[in-house]
């Protein structure tokens, strides 16, 4: 099995090293990840300059671009053979609810999915303990299960793992995305010359976090697995918008 790994925390991040160790037993692992932290990069592609791929002492490849760039370059030209699966992570921090819109971790997996490859985004709901090996073990189990029992349809899974030792997990639950409250306001400060600068505020707390959501599962020490789709069409409004245009 050929496994492509990427992330948004950078090729040097402990989460991707944990993934590489865990998945190496299942096949050939290739890491193509950003050269620096690109958290929040979402699905952006770099189109205004050329990109380069370099090899680190660890054997990991790194790109001077976004997580999406990394997977796109790897799949469409850099790798001699297409990967059988793309795994992104392990992200330091959860990617639940609205986070999936902004997440570079989810974006790297989404790019694999768009290119026709089964893909997983794996995030650790970090609490300062940083049980990356727990999340990497979950990823290994899911990839192994997919090898034995393919779903026979395109698959993009968003996986969030509580920051616990494996024995403390309370199971795995298939969930829907929850929703956060409105983000916190920007933080205004000034640079050394006194000019105003702004930091993007923190994400809002969970608003829709009831039973069945990713927030609820992780809060209850369960691994959350949410199947994602890319079609953003709001079908319920198509007839209404058609009537509005005809008025």
């Amino acid at each position: 099995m050929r496994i492509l790994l990427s992330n948004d925390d950078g090729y040097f991040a402990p989460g991707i090293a944990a993934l590489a160790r865990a998945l190496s037993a299942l096949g050939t692992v290739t890491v193509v990840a950003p050269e620096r932290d690109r958290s929040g990069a979402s699905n952006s592609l770099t189109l205004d300059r050329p990109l380069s791929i370099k090899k680190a002492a660890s054997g990991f490849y790194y790109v001077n671009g976004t997580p999406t760039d990394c997977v796109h370059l790897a799949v469409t030209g850099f790798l001699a053979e297409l990967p059988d699966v793309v795994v992104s992570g392990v992200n330091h921090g959860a990617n639940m609810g609205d986070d999936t819109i902004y997440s570079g971790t989810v974006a790297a997996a989404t790019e694999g999915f768009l290119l026709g490859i089964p893909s997983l985004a794996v995030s650790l709901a970090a609490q300062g303990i940083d049980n990356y090996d727990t999340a990497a073990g979950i990823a290994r189990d899911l990839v192994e299960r997919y090898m034995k029992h393919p779903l026979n349809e395109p698959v993009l899974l968003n996986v969030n793992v509580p920051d616990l030792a494996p024995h403390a997990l309370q199971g795995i639950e298939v969930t829907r995305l929850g929703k956060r409250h409105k983000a916190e306001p920007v933080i205004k400060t000034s640079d050394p010359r006194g000019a105003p600068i702004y930091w993007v505020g923190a994400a809002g707390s969970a608003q829709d976090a009831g039973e069945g959501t990713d927030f609820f599962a992780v809060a209850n020490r369960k691994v959350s697995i949410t199947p994602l789709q890319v079609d953003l069409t709001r079908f319920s409004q198509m007839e209404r918008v058609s009537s509005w245009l005809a008025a």
Side-chain angles (χ1 to χ4, degrees):
M1 182 175 228
R2 297 178 297 274
I3 304 170
L4 172 63
L5 302 187
S6 195
N7 70 356
D8 70 357
D9 290 332
Y11 74 94
F12 47 81
I16 203 166
L19 265 186
R21 289 193 301 269
L23 295 176
S24 61
L26 302 182
T28 302
V29 172
T30 304
V31 174
V32 182
E35 67 176 356
R36 61 182 178 88
D37 188 340
R38 297 304 302 266
S39 297
S42 189
N43 297 86
S44 57
L45 279 170
T46 300
L47 303 177
D48 61 344
R49 59 179 174 81
L51 297 167
S52 63
I53 300 180
K54 298 179 181 179
K55 191 173 185 178
S58 62
F60 295 176
Y61 293 96
Y62 60 94
V63 177
N64 60 336
T66 67
T68 300
D69 289 331
C70 294
V71 175
H72 190 87
L73 265 63
V75 172
T76 64
F78 178 67
L79 297 178
E81 297 180 281
L82 290 178
D84 298 301
V85 64
V86 172
V87 184
S88 179
V90 173
N91 189 66
H92 183 261
N95 278 305
M96 300 186 290
D98 310 2
D99 303 339
T100 56
I101 300 298
Y102 306 101
S103 168
T105 303
V106 175
T110 300
E111 187 65 14
F113 173 77
L114 290 172
L115 293 170
I117 301 167
S119 300
L120 285 74
V122 184
S123 301
L124 180 69
Q127 300 289 333
I129 305 171
D130 296 346
N131 283 286
Y132 289 110
D133 288 336
T134 300
I138 293 294
R140 180 193 61 230
D141 292 346
L142 292 174
V143 171
E144 191 169 22
R145 176 176 290 273
Y146 188 84
M147 290 168 59
K148 295 177 179 177
H149 307 287
L151 289 171
N152 297 320
E153 61 180 292
V155 60
L156 172 59
L157 301 180
N158 186 42
V159 182
N160 282 276
V161 183
D163 193 0
L164 300 167
H167 70 269
L169 295 175
Q170 298 299 305
I172 298 176
E173 185 174 342
V174 178
T175 61
R176 64 176 177 85
L177 295 179
K179 187 171 180 59
R180 292 189 182 277
H181 285 284
K182 182 179 177 181
E184 297 294 325
V186 296
I187 301 167
K188 183 178 180 180
T189 181
S190 57
D191 68 14
R193 293 183 173 85
I197 55 175
Y198 301 86
W199 290 94
V200 172
S205 58
Q207 179 183 36
D208 177 7
E211 190 168 355
T213 67
D214 44 8
F215 288 107
F216 188 88
V218 170
N220 285 275
R221 300 189 165 201
K222 294 182 179 180
V223 176
S224 163
I225 300 180
T226 306
L228 301 181
Q229 64 181 9
V230 179
D231 188 349
L232 299 178
T233 307
R234 188 167 181 178
F235 292 97
S236 63
Q237 285 193 349
M238 291 180 66
E239 185 176 347
R240 179 175 298 178
V241 172
S242 295
S243 299
W244 174 66
L245 290 172

